[in-house]
Amino acid sequence: MSDTAAQQPVRLAHLDAHRYRDWVARGGATVIVPAGAFEQHGPHLPMGTDALLSTTIAEAVAGRTGAKVAEPFAYGYKSQQKSGGGDHLPGTISLDAAALIAQARCVLAGFLSQGVENLVVLNGHFENYQFLYEAADLALGDVRAAGGGGGAAPSVLLLSYWDFVSEETLAEVYPGGFPGWDIEHGGVLETSLMLHLRPELVDMERAVSHPAASLPRFDRLPVVAERTPETGCLSAPDGSDARKGELLFEQVTEDLATDLRRELGTS
Amino acid sequence: MSDTAAQQPVRLAHLDAHRYRDWVARGGATVIVPAGAFEQHGPHLPMGTDALLSTTIAEAVAGRTGAKVAEPFAYGYKSQQKSGGGDHLPGTISLDAAALIAQARCVLAGFLSQGVENLVVLNGHFENYQFLYEAADLALGDVRAAGGGGGAAPSVLLLSYWDFVSEETLAEVYPGGFPGWDIEHGGVLETSLMLHLRPELVDMERAVSHPAASLPRFDRLPVVAERTPETGCLSAPDGSDARKGELLFEQVTEDLATDLRRELGTS
Amino acid sequence: MSDTAAQQPVRLAHLDAHRYRDWVARGGATVIVPAGAFEQHGPHLPMGTDALLSTTIAEAVAGRTGAKVAEPFAYGYKSQQKSGGGDHLPGTISLDAAALIAQARCVLAGFLSQGVENLVVLNGHFENYQFLYEAADLALGDVRAAGGGGGAAPSVLLLSYWDFVSEETLAEVYPGGFPGWDIEHGGVLETSLMLHLRPELVDMERAVSHPAASLPRFDRLPVVAERTPETGCLSAPDGSDARKGELLFEQVTEDLATDLRRELGTS
Amino acid sequence: MSDTAAQQPVRLAHLDAHRYRDWVARGGATVIVPAGAFEQHGPHLPMGTDALLSTTIAEAVAGRTGAKVAEPFAYGYKSQQKSGGGDHLPGTISLDAAALIAQARCVLAGFLSQGVENLVVLNGHFENYQFLYEAADLALGDVRAAGGGGGAAPSVLLLSYWDFVSEETLAEVYPGGFPGWDIEHGGVLETSLMLHLRPELVDMERAVSHPAASLPRFDRLPVVAERTPETGCLSAPDGSDARKGELLFEQVTEDLATDLRRELGTS
Amino acid sequence: MSDTAAQQPVRLAHLDAHRYRDWVARGGATVIVPAGAFEQHGPHLPMGTDALLSTTIAEAVAGRTGAKVAEPFAYGYKSQQKSGGGDHLPGTISLDAAALIAQARCVLAGFLSQGVENLVVLNGHFENYQFLYEAADLALGDVRAAGGGGGAAPSVLLLSYWDFVSEETLAEVYPGGFPGWDIEHGGVLETSLMLHLRPELVDMERAVSHPAASLPRFDRLPVVAERTPETGCLSAPDGSDARKGELLFEQVTEDLATDLRRELGTS
Amino acid sequence: MSDTAAQQPVRLAHLDAHRYRDWVARGGATVIVPAGAFEQHGPHLPMGTDALLSTTIAEAVAGRTGAKVAEPFAYGYKSQQKSGGGDHLPGTISLDAAALIAQARCVLAGFLSQGVENLVVLNGHFENYQFLYEAADLALGDVRAAGGGGGAAPSVLLLSYWDFVSEETLAEVYPGGFPGWDIEHGGVLETSLMLHLRPELVDMERAVSHPAASLPRFDRLPVVAERTPETGCLSAPDGSDARKGELLFEQVTEDLATDLRRELGTS
């Protein structure tokens, strides 16, 4: 019995290597690598939030574009106080720069050297970005030095999913005005998305309302612990709901899929 | 509403950080870190087999011991021809030694520095073992240098789950005689376990019967590709079934749980 | 003849080690480490712009706060297309992540281990930030592991100087509306500052007017070279002048000095 | 308005990238990279002495040869007791081997990959030499692996400026006999050069006369602190003057320029 | 006077570089690199046992095959409790993973880049194996990236000498039944080989009889010291003698030589 | 039967761990670590010359001082043209900086952490020195961070044996005037020492007389191959003989032993 790509699992970990080999050999293969973190997200969201969100978004984008999804990076770079509350908080287990770069470099170079033509690193943890960029740059160098990759010139795209939230969506999700991505940690965006996608992992009864964190314009290390709200969230999840989550999810995955199709010339 | 540990998710990624903090503070916390790989497993098993198996076994052991399960290492050390068919095969995406050591070192040191008293690295990919050992040794040094960890002296246990298969189980699973762990890649053990635990990801119609690989007593690099059977399996999954998988799973998780309880003094 | 701190050079490289030793021994010593880059800045600005600006700002802040200024990091992290035009452009000589982290880690740990109580890393090259953060975190760990530092608990502050530009200043400098920091490379901010501080190094006759770069929401590697304007600037320096530079410089150094005094309790 | 190379700044950080690009494209471009240190030099010389001297000598050589000067390495390898008094002294902020190698490797590879044909690393801090050598060797390997560099085979020259002091100059500078380069730290050579080149940074009133350090034939770690004279200088600057500095400077730059012209075939 | 290869020393360290050059140029050169350790081996065997044995076996194999022997790796990876008693024991001086990999990588790449066609890494310390494998893999990548090696495609073979002990030999050496390689540390195999090859370094009067170690199925770190017998041996050397050593030595070297000839096509 | 230290082997690899443990426990233990290289030494000297000489000298010094000798570092840093002919020559197999530092760091930290109070790194390959220095510095930091070492404050001494050749010896060995250590590669010093210590490994019939190399004052990479004499020696071994070797050996070992006794307070 033969099957079509559409019937195959979108998650590469669920696919066998022979089908993978054939899929790559057909040309134009795109693999999305979700990047997350293992990080405290307050009392109402699970510690795996970032990887869960980036993986779920990756799967939806893959479903719309014919791409496939690699296993996520489940641990991310150190949580910073101004974007994630800080690396001192219990429940935040982080990689240092060298570890994250090394891991991502190997994985990206591995796919490229097997003929995958396009890699999309879909980031869901703010602090990861620059280290994933370094990994992508080094991986491309590795593949070149090894004489490598498939026929076509490979490319790596790197993005954080929130950069695809539109102005219109922002206006709906934050009717009182968007407070800025910097304090969106455990706040309305992540909580709403989780309520839509993984409601069984959210406990809104434990959510706490509190003013948004007011942090200085610099980073300070060691952190002054009391600058992070006690919950560990930088802004409260007040007003989060599954409908906002659905809106965010649908708009972002649609826009992301559209951009990928346009950029990579895939159908 | 308060909840008990038994009602909480066994997977830390599904737990919130406040409950995690309280759980650690009660003392004696044990976290199991599953280690797998992203590796071809022939035409009938998915590429994520090693991480799926080690994670599922970890969850079962955690359920029996009160431990909790961290996110698995989804990428492993380079597949070697004599134990995994070789790193040249499509569908095998590997970390080099430095990347695997760095990742595991950060994660292990992270849990230890937050007061987790016992870490169990539960390995499901043969080639990982020595690199995980190095990571554990370095992580303990890091925690010591940082003045570290919780009150009790922390410990790290490292094991591969197949080392807990008993002689009795082997006799039942391999009625014709056990061929050795070295060629158990994509063979009866892994296939039976997957048929028991994740049957929807196994396609026995695609399984191929062939003689076991006959490999020299040395490793050779670059590999002589034709020494690996075309399927990528080192032995055929002939005779695999879900009942054997259940037997393996139940015996191994029971023995593993027993050993952990005895070693760590947990209930 | 004794001299006072006020008579001493603000630049540590110009001070002798005996005076430095005495200054540190008096307690509360703050050292500002400017971070820049060696990077193309279009046809009208010199390649050393980032280090020149961060060093000059550091000296002014030091003059207002009693801090002293270490030698700048004259080479920075790889220029990214969306913030610096890209690392492929002639005249951009970059460090990779490991090199930048290692250098900054040694320098920061060095000052801390000699009893300098506060370090301020004053960044002038967007791409550096996360790697400097990692360096600061590792350096503090090094000092702790060595049993170290002076009497008081040391701190490291990290900032990019443009984060201290006020809304009022923005409104004056960009009367037509602020286009965003992301495309401020070789544009009005840097050009005006240089016209105020180092006019002999700016050649406005070579400046080119062109629309701001329009870049996608993702990073792509290898870069699509034509997405960067031919000048290498992401926005044109149209409307730059020394008066705007002076305004920017005075407001930023004053605010920065105020924040440092408040944060570090120095006079 | 076109300009000629002669009118352009000799310091690359002061040049714009377009002129740099055109200069490299004309072929035969030589870039001198000065290497220094941030190191105590006794009570009469500034901590930046090594970088100041190597940069100034580099500029003079560049002026005589048509080369250009990159930004100096302002931090150097750990000061050793037998050549710099020791790394334990306040005011000495050092890089470890990995950091210095990584930094220099990136910078050298960067220039070579852009088509600069000759690099001259002009060292002014004894302890740097072997690490700069390693960096040059690795950088050339990087460029080869990347398929690299300009048309001509690139070369890297590495030297310490004092190796170009002639016997005649030595005889004039040290009329009582040359005591050896090993104890020339903060002594007559460096002091005289600084008195000639940067007199405003030298304070001869603070200079102390003392016997030259008498150090064993081995290095010992941790250092026996009292083996270094209290000043931090290994020999006293007695008899230093600007005239000797001028003699040293003129002879060394002339000989260095002559050697470079002969070796590199530049005019 | 010309000499023949047979008259030349088998140990490369005893050969001059000109003869080495000529030998390599004749084609088909095979170099054996012995890997050992500096490790406690109980009260009756010297700490250099592993390197002594692997080097002596390498010399014998070289004598039978025309190969030559490089200097051994005299320090090995950390001794693990289940195979070597543990790294905490006095007299065990170990390399960490990065150091062993780096050393072996350089040496292997060095020989390959000079045209040696076959490298055989002959391991005599259990814990080394995976790190030597990584080194071999990386070295081959280095040579490829450098455009390298001699005319023929180079190969690296990696083996531990005990994997060549035949069933027949085992039956003679362990008449009471083979207890398994895992507890063969300082036991009958190593002691008998040393009694045959280096009797002057064995002191059987100091040998202690004790039951074999009984170790759990997992590794634990930090080690529970009392699980290692007081001698440091995992099994007692009872019944060791030079005749068994000779049998082991002759059979292993003969089989190893046969396998190498067959695999490498050398005479 | 008890034995005395004097009856024990001076080479630690030949000693058992129990005797080693007792020796260290008596206090004041000094271990000498010889460092060599695997390097071409012309047509008349073996490639292992540097390690052979440093090890033999170490054994003699140990015999005079009660120290013991660890296994030598048999591979050294890259041969440089101005001191060893260059790393491009067949027969020279080198470590890069990271590998040599890592290896030496582990070995030195290992001995120190077991209570060895004094380490003497006895270098026999010019290019190694700075990297061994870095290793010693890092190893001491490791031991400190681990809370380390024995009771007394440990020390590491680092030296190259030729720095102990006296003026009187030089005058006898080089009656025509000493040409400088820089071109002593495969010349009179090494050849005479080998003729005294390992005459069976020297083939004076193959020695070639030629003028000393005349090398520029800079290092150039890639090397200009023809600047190294065809033999690979930087000066000819003309006039070498075993009597000079004996003189050198006796004087150097005596002076070295005297210095160590004085410095370390050992008998």
Side-chain angles (χ1 to χ4, degrees):
Chain A
M1 186 197 79
S2 91
D3 57 6
T4 66
Q7 294 168 320
Q8 291 178 6
V10 81
R11 191 85 170 250
L12 283 172
H14 297 174
L15 189 71
D16 71 85
H18 290 230
R19 281 188 176 98
Y20 163 79
R21 183 189 60 198
D22 297 344
W23 173 69
V24 172
R26 282 197 289 276
T30 297
V31 169
I32 308 180
V33 186
F38 190 92
E39 188 188 22
Q40 70 79 23
H41 274 75
H44 66 295
L45 287 179
M47 294 183 282
T49 293
D50 288 355
L52 289 166
L53 289 181
S54 59
T55 304
T56 309
I57 293 172
E59 289 172 345
V61 172
R64 292 170 185 259
T65 59
K68 294 202 175 293
V69 178
E71 288 305 279
F73 300 145
Y75 298 92
Y77 182 67
K78 296 165 188 172
S79 177
Q80 292 167 255
Q81 189 170 36
K82 290 176 67 178
S83 43
D87 210 47
H88 61 296
L89 294 169
T92 298
I93 302 290
S94 306
L95 303 183
D96 62 19
L100 178 53
I101 292 170
Q103 177 191 26
R105 177 184 187 169
C106 286
V107 171
L108 300 183
F111 280 114
L112 293 174
S113 70
Q114 292 186 1
V116 169
E117 290 180 20
N118 306 301
L119 285 175
V120 179
V121 184
L122 197 158
N123 182 40
H125 175 64
F126 184 84
E127 290 87 340
N128 285 342
Y129 199 89
Q130 289 293 82
F131 307 104
L132 296 171
Y133 181 93
E134 172 75 350
D137 192 57
L138 296 176
L140 284 160
D142 293 341
V143 174
R144 271 193 299 272
S155 77
V156 182
L157 267 53
L158 172 59
L159 58 96
S160 294
Y161 70 79
W162 50 81
D163 286 334
F164 287 76
V165 178
S166 68
E167 292 296 322
E168 295 71 31
T169 303
L170 274 187
E172 284 210 43
V173 172
Y174 300 91
F178 176 53
W181 289 128
D182 45 346
I183 56 169
E184 233 317 327
H185 179 74
V188 176
L189 174 90
E190 292 186 329
T191 305
S192 296
L193 279 168
M194 287 295 284
L195 283 169
H196 172 53
L197 297 169
R198 301 297 294 266
E200 78 282 9
L201 299 179
V202 188
D203 186 349
M204 289 305 286
E205 289 187 27
R206 295 173 59 88
V208 177
S209 180
H210 59 71
S214 168
L215 291 159
R217 283 174 286 190
F218 43 77
D219 270 295
R220 179 173 181 157
L221 283 170
V223 297
V224 179
E226 47 268 32
R227 284 179 177 160
T228 300
E230 241 177 273
T231 59
C233 302
L234 294 184
S235 56
D238 303 349
S240 303
D241 60 47
R243 195 194 49 81
K244 288 180 178 173
E246 184 180 8
L247 173 67
L248 282 158
F249 181 71
E250 293 300 325
Q251 183 260 306
V252 162
T253 52
E254 174 57 30
D255 278 21
L256 236 164
T258 302
D259 269 30
L260 293 191
R261 275 191 301 260
R262 186 186 305 136
E263 181 74 11
L264 304 175
T266 55
S267 59
Chain B
M1 185 197 81
S2 90
D3 57 6
T4 66
Q7 293 167 321
Q8 292 179 4
V10 81
R11 192 84 169 252
L12 284 172
H14 297 174
L15 189 70
D16 71 85
H18 290 229
R19 281 189 176 98
Y20 163 79
R21 183 189 60 197
D22 295 344
W23 173 69
V24 173
R26 283 197 287 274
T30 297
V31 169
I32 309 179
V33 186
F38 191 93
E39 188 186 22
Q40 70 80 23
H41 274 74
H44 66 295
L45 286 178
M47 293 183 283
T49 292
D50 288 356
L52 289 165
L53 289 180
S54 59
T55 305
T56 309
I57 293 171
E59 289 172 344
V61 171
R64 291 170 185 259
T65 58
K68 294 203 175 291
V69 177
E71 288 304 278
F73 299 145
Y75 299 92
Y77 183 67
K78 297 165 187 171
S79 177
Q80 291 167 256
Q81 189 169 36
K82 290 176 66 178
S83 44
D87 209 47
H88 61 295
L89 294 169
T92 298
I93 301 291
S94 306
L95 302 184
D96 61 19
L100 178 53
I101 292 169
Q103 177 191 27
R105 176 184 187 170
C106 287
V107 171
L108 301 182
F111 280 115
L112 293 175
S113 69
Q114 292 187 0
V116 170
E117 289 181 20
N118 307 301
L119 285 176
V120 179
V121 184
L122 197 158
N123 182 41
H125 175 63
F126 184 85
E127 291 87 339
N128 286 342
Y129 198 88
Q130 289 293 81
F131 307 104
L132 296 172
Y133 181 93
E134 171 75 350
D137 192 56
L138 296 176
L140 284 160
D142 292 343
V143 174
R144 269 193 300 273
S155 76
V156 181
L157 268 53
L158 172 59
L159 58 96
S160 294
Y161 70 78
W162 50 82
D163 286 334
F164 287 76
V165 177
S166 69
E167 292 296 323
E168 295 71 30
T169 303
L170 274 187
E172 284 210 44
V173 172
Y174 300 92
F178 177 52
W181 290 128
D182 46 346
I183 57 168
E184 232 318 328
H185 180 75
V188 175
L189 174 89
E190 292 186 328
T191 305
S192 296
L193 278 169
M194 287 295 284
L195 282 169
H196 172 54
L197 298 168
R198 302 294 296 264
E200 77 282 9
L201 299 180
V202 187
D203 187 349
M204 289 305 286
E205 290 188 26
R206 294 172 60 88
V208 176
S209 179
H210 59 70
S214 168
L215 291 160
R217 283 174 286 191
F218 44 77
D219 269 295
R220 178 172 181 157
L221 283 171
V223 298
V224 179
E226 47 268 30
R227 285 179 177 161
T228 300
E230 242 177 273
T231 59
C233 302
L234 294 184
S235 56
D238 302 350
S240 302
D241 60 47
R243 195 195 49 81
K244 289 181 177 172
E246 184 179 8
L247 173 66
L248 283 158
F249 182 71
E250 294 298 327
Q251 183 260 306
V252 162
T253 52
E254 174 57 29
D255 279 20
L256 237 162
T258 302
D259 269 30
L260 293 191
R261 274 191 301 259
R262 186 185 306 135
E263 182 74 11
L264 304 175
T266 55
S267 59
Chain C
M1 184 197 82
S2 91
D3 56 6
T4 67
Q7 294 169 320
Q8 291 179 6
V10 80
R11 190 84 170 252
L12 284 173
H14 296 174
L15 188 70
D16 71 85
H18 290 229
R19 281 188 176 97
Y20 163 79
R21 183 188 59 198
D22 295 343
W23 174 69
V24 172
R26 282 197 289 275
T30 297
V31 169
I32 308 180
V33 186
F38 191 92
E39 188 187 22
Q40 69 80 23
H41 274 74
H44 66 295
L45 287 179
M47 294 183 282
T49 293
D50 288 355
L52 290 165
L53 289 180
S54 58
T55 304
T56 310
I57 292 171
E59 289 172 345
V61 172
R64 292 170 184 258
T65 59
K68 293 203 175 292
V69 178
E71 288 306 277
F73 300 145
Y75 300 91
Y77 182 67
K78 297 165 187 171
S79 177
Q80 292 168 253
Q81 190 170 35
K82 291 175 66 178
S83 43
D87 209 49
H88 61 296
L89 293 169
T92 298
I93 302 290
S94 305
L95 303 183
D96 62 19
L100 179 53
I101 292 170
Q103 178 192 25
R105 176 185 187 168
C106 287
V107 171
L108 300 183
F111 280 114
L112 293 174
S113 69
Q114 291 186 0
V116 169
E117 290 180 20
N118 307 301
L119 286 175
V120 179
V121 184
L122 196 158
N123 182 41
H125 175 63
F126 183 85
E127 291 87 339
N128 285 342
Y129 199 88
Q130 290 292 81
F131 307 105
L132 296 172
Y133 181 93
E134 172 75 352
D137 191 57
L138 296 175
L140 283 161
D142 292 343
V143 174
R144 270 193 299 272
S155 77
V156 182
L157 267 54
L158 172 59
L159 58 95
S160 294
Y161 71 78
W162 49 83
D163 287 334
F164 288 76
V165 178
S166 68
E167 293 296 322
E168 295 71 33
T169 303
L170 274 187
E172 284 210 45
V173 172
Y174 301 92
F178 177 53
W181 290 127
D182 45 345
I183 56 170
E184 232 318 325
H185 180 74
V188 176
L189 174 89
E190 292 185 329
T191 306
S192 296
L193 279 168
M194 287 295 284
L195 283 169
H196 172 53
L197 298 168
R198 302 295 295 265
E200 78 282 9
L201 299 180
V202 188
D203 186 348
M204 288 305 287
E205 289 188 26
R206 295 173 59 88
V208 177
S209 179
H210 58 71
S214 169
L215 291 159
R217 284 174 285 190
F218 44 78
D219 269 295
R220 179 172 181 157
L221 284 170
V223 298
V224 179
E226 48 268 30
R227 285 179 176 160
T228 299
E230 240 178 274
T231 59
C233 302
L234 294 184
S235 56
D238 302 350
S240 304
D241 60 47
R243 195 195 49 82
K244 288 180 178 173
E246 184 180 9
L247 172 66
L248 282 158
F249 181 70
E250 293 299 326
Q251 183 260 306
V252 162
T253 52
E254 174 57 30
D255 280 20
L256 237 163
T258 303
D259 269 31
L260 293 191
R261 275 191 301 260
R262 186 186 305 137
E263 182 74 12
L264 304 175
T266 54
S267 59
Chain D
M1 184 198 82
S2 91
D3 57 5
T4 66
Q7 294 167 319
Q8 292 179 3
V10 80
R11 192 85 169 251
L12 283 173
H14 297 175
L15 189 70
D16 71 85
H18 290 230
R19 282 188 176 98
Y20 163 80
R21 183 188 61 198
D22 295 344
W23 173 68
V24 172
R26 283 197 288 275
T30 297
V31 169
I32 308 179
V33 186
F38 190 93
E39 188 187 22
Q40 69 81 22
H41 273 74
H44 66 295
L45 287 178
M47 294 183 283
T49 292
D50 288 356
L52 289 165
L53 289 179
S54 58
T55 303
T56 309
I57 293 171
E59 289 172 345
V61 172
R64 292 170 184 258
T65 60
K68 294 203 175 292
V69 177
E71 288 304 279
F73 299 145
Y75 299 91
Y77 182 68
K78 297 165 187 171
S79 177
Q80 292 167 254
Q81 188 169 36
K82 290 175 66 177
S83 43
D87 210 47
H88 61 296
L89 294 169
T92 298
I93 301 290
S94 305
L95 302 184
D96 62 20
L100 178 54
I101 293 170
Q103 177 191 27
R105 177 184 187 171
C106 286
V107 170
L108 301 182
F111 280 115
L112 293 174
S113 69
Q114 291 187 1
V116 169
E117 290 181 21
N118 306 303
L119 285 175
V120 179
V121 184
L122 197 159
N123 181 41
H125 175 64
F126 184 85
E127 291 87 338
N128 285 342
Y129 198 88
Q130 289 293 81
F131 307 104
L132 296 171
Y133 182 92
E134 171 75 350
D137 191 57
L138 295 176
L140 283 160
D142 292 342
V143 174
R144 271 193 299 272
S155 76
V156 182
L157 268 54
L158 172 59
L159 57 95
S160 294
Y161 70 79
W162 49 82
D163 286 334
F164 287 76
V165 177
S166 68
E167 293 296 323
E168 294 72 29
T169 303
L170 274 187
E172 285 211 44
V173 172
Y174 301 91
F178 177 53
W181 290 128
D182 45 347
I183 56 168
E184 232 317 328
H185 179 74
V188 175
L189 174 88
E190 292 185 329
T191 305
S192 296
L193 279 168
M194 287 294 285
L195 283 169
H196 172 52
L197 298 168
R198 302 294 295 265
E200 78 281 10
L201 299 180
V202 187
D203 186 349
M204 289 305 286
E205 290 188 25
R206 294 172 60 88
V208 177
S209 179
H210 58 72
S214 168
L215 291 160
R217 284 174 284 189
F218 43 78
D219 269 296
R220 178 171 182 158
L221 283 172
V223 298
V224 179
E226 48 268 31
R227 285 178 177 161
T228 300
E230 241 177 273
T231 60
C233 302
L234 294 184
S235 56
D238 303 349
S240 303
D241 60 46
R243 194 196 49 81
K244 289 180 178 173
E246 183 179 10
L247 172 67
L248 283 158
F249 181 71
E250 294 298 327
Q251 183 260 306
V252 163
T253 52
E254 175 57 30
D255 278 20
L256 236 163
T258 302
D259 269 30
L260 293 192
R261 274 191 300 260
R262 186 186 306 135
E263 181 74 11
L264 304 175
T266 55
S267 60
Chain E
M1 181 198 84
S2 92
D3 57 5
T4 65
Q7 294 169 320
Q8 291 177 6
V10 80
R11 190 86 169 251
L12 284 173
H14 297 174
L15 189 71
D16 71 85
H18 291 230
R19 281 188 176 98
Y20 163 79
R21 183 189 60 198
D22 296 344
W23 173 68
V24 172
R26 282 197 289 275
T30 297
V31 169
I32 308 180
V33 186
F38 190 92
E39 188 187 21
Q40 70 79 23
H41 275 74
H44 66 295
L45 287 179
M47 294 183 282
T49 293
D50 288 355
L52 290 166
L53 289 180
S54 58
T55 304
T56 310
I57 293 171
E59 289 172 345
V61 172
R64 292 170 185 259
T65 59
K68 294 202 175 292
V69 177
E71 288 306 278
F73 300 145
Y75 299 92
Y77 183 67
K78 297 166 187 169
S79 177
Q80 292 167 253
Q81 188 170 35
K82 290 175 65 177
S83 43
D87 210 46
H88 60 296
L89 294 169
T92 298
I93 301 290
S94 305
L95 303 184
D96 62 19
L100 178 54
I101 292 170
Q103 177 191 27
R105 176 184 188 170
C106 286
V107 170
L108 301 182
F111 281 114
L112 293 175
S113 69
Q114 291 186 2
V116 170
E117 290 180 21
N118 307 301
L119 285 176
V120 179
V121 184
L122 196 158
N123 182 41
H125 174 63
F126 183 85
E127 291 87 340
N128 285 342
Y129 198 87
Q130 289 292 83
F131 307 104
L132 296 171
Y133 181 93
E134 172 74 350
D137 191 57
L138 295 176
L140 284 161
D142 291 343
V143 174
R144 270 193 300 273
S155 76
V156 182
L157 267 55
L158 172 59
L159 58 96
S160 294
Y161 71 79
W162 49 82
D163 286 334
F164 287 76
V165 178
S166 69
E167 293 295 323
E168 294 70 31
T169 303
L170 274 187
E172 285 212 42
V173 173
Y174 300 92
F178 177 53
W181 290 127
D182 46 347
I183 57 169
E184 233 317 328
H185 179 75
V188 176
L189 174 89
E190 292 186 329
T191 306
S192 297
L193 279 168
M194 287 295 284
L195 283 168
H196 172 54
L197 297 168
R198 301 296 294 267
E200 78 281 10
L201 299 180
V202 187
D203 186 349
M204 288 305 285
E205 290 188 25
R206 294 173 60 87
V208 177
S209 179
H210 59 70
S214 168
L215 291 160
R217 284 174 285 190
F218 43 79
D219 270 295
R220 179 173 182 156
L221 284 171
V223 297
V224 178
E226 47 269 32
R227 285 179 176 159
T228 300
E230 242 178 274
T231 60
C233 302
L234 295 184
S235 55
D238 303 349
S240 303
D241 61 47
R243 194 195 50 80
K244 288 180 178 174
E246 183 179 10
L247 172 66
L248 282 158
F249 181 71
E250 293 299 326
Q251 182 260 306
V252 162
T253 52
E254 174 58 30
D255 278 20
L256 236 163
T258 303
D259 268 31
L260 292 191
R261 275 191 301 259
R262 187 186 306 135
E263 181 74 11
L264 304 176
T266 56
S267 58
Chain F
M1 180 198 83
S2 91
D3 57 4
T4 66
Q7 293 168 321
Q8 290 178 6
V10 80
R11 191 85 168 252
L12 284 173
H14 297 175
L15 188 71
D16 71 84
H18 290 229
R19 281 189 177 97
Y20 163 78
R21 183 189 58 197
D22 296 344
W23 173 70
V24 173
R26 282 196 289 275
T30 297
V31 169
I32 308 180
V33 187
F38 191 92
E39 187 187 22
Q40 70 80 22
H41 274 76
H44 65 295
L45 287 179
M47 294 183 281
T49 293
D50 288 355
L52 290 166
L53 288 180
S54 58
T55 304
T56 309
I57 293 171
E59 289 172 344
V61 172
R64 291 170 184 258
T65 59
K68 294 204 174 290
V69 178
E71 288 306 278
F73 299 145
Y75 299 92
Y77 182 68
K78 297 165 187 171
S79 177
Q80 291 168 255
Q81 189 170 36
K82 290 175 66 177
S83 43
D87 209 47
H88 61 296
L89 293 169
T92 298
I93 302 290
S94 305
L95 303 183
D96 61 19
L100 178 53
I101 293 170
Q103 178 192 26
R105 176 184 187 170
C106 286
V107 170
L108 301 182
F111 280 115
L112 293 175
S113 68
Q114 292 186 1
V116 170
E117 289 180 20
N118 306 301
L119 286 176
V120 179
V121 184
L122 196 158
N123 182 41
H125 175 64
F126 183 84
E127 291 87 340
N128 285 342
Y129 198 88
Q130 289 293 82
F131 307 104
L132 296 171
Y133 181 93
E134 171 75 349
D137 191 56
L138 296 176
L140 284 161
D142 292 343
V143 174
R144 269 193 300 272
S155 76
V156 183
L157 267 54
L158 172 60
L159 58 95
S160 294
Y161 70 79
W162 50 82
D163 286 335
F164 287 76
V165 177
S166 69
E167 292 297 321
E168 295 70 32
T169 303
L170 274 187
E172 284 212 43
V173 173
Y174 301 92
F178 177 51
W181 290 127
D182 46 346
I183 57 169
E184 232 317 328
H185 179 76
V188 175
L189 173 90
E190 293 186 328
T191 305
S192 296
L193 279 168
M194 286 295 284
L195 283 168
H196 172 53
L197 297 168
R198 301 296 295 265
E200 78 281 9
L201 299 179
V202 187
D203 187 349
M204 288 306 285
E205 289 188 25
R206 295 173 60 88
V208 177
S209 179
H210 58 72
S214 169
L215 291 160
R217 283 174 286 189
F218 43 78
D219 269 294
R220 179 172 181 157
L221 286 170
V223 298
V224 178
E226 48 269 32
R227 286 179 176 160
T228 300
E230 243 177 273
T231 59
C233 301
L234 294 184
S235 57
D238 303 349
S240 303
D241 60 47
R243 194 194 50 79
K244 289 180 177 174
E246 184 179 8
L247 172 66
L248 282 158
F249 182 71
E250 293 299 326
Q251 183 259 308
V252 162
T253 52
E254 175 57 29
D255 279 20
L256 237 163
T258 302
D259 269 30
L260 293 191
R261 273 191 302 260
R262 186 186 307 134
E263 180 75 12
L264 304 175
T266 56
S267 59

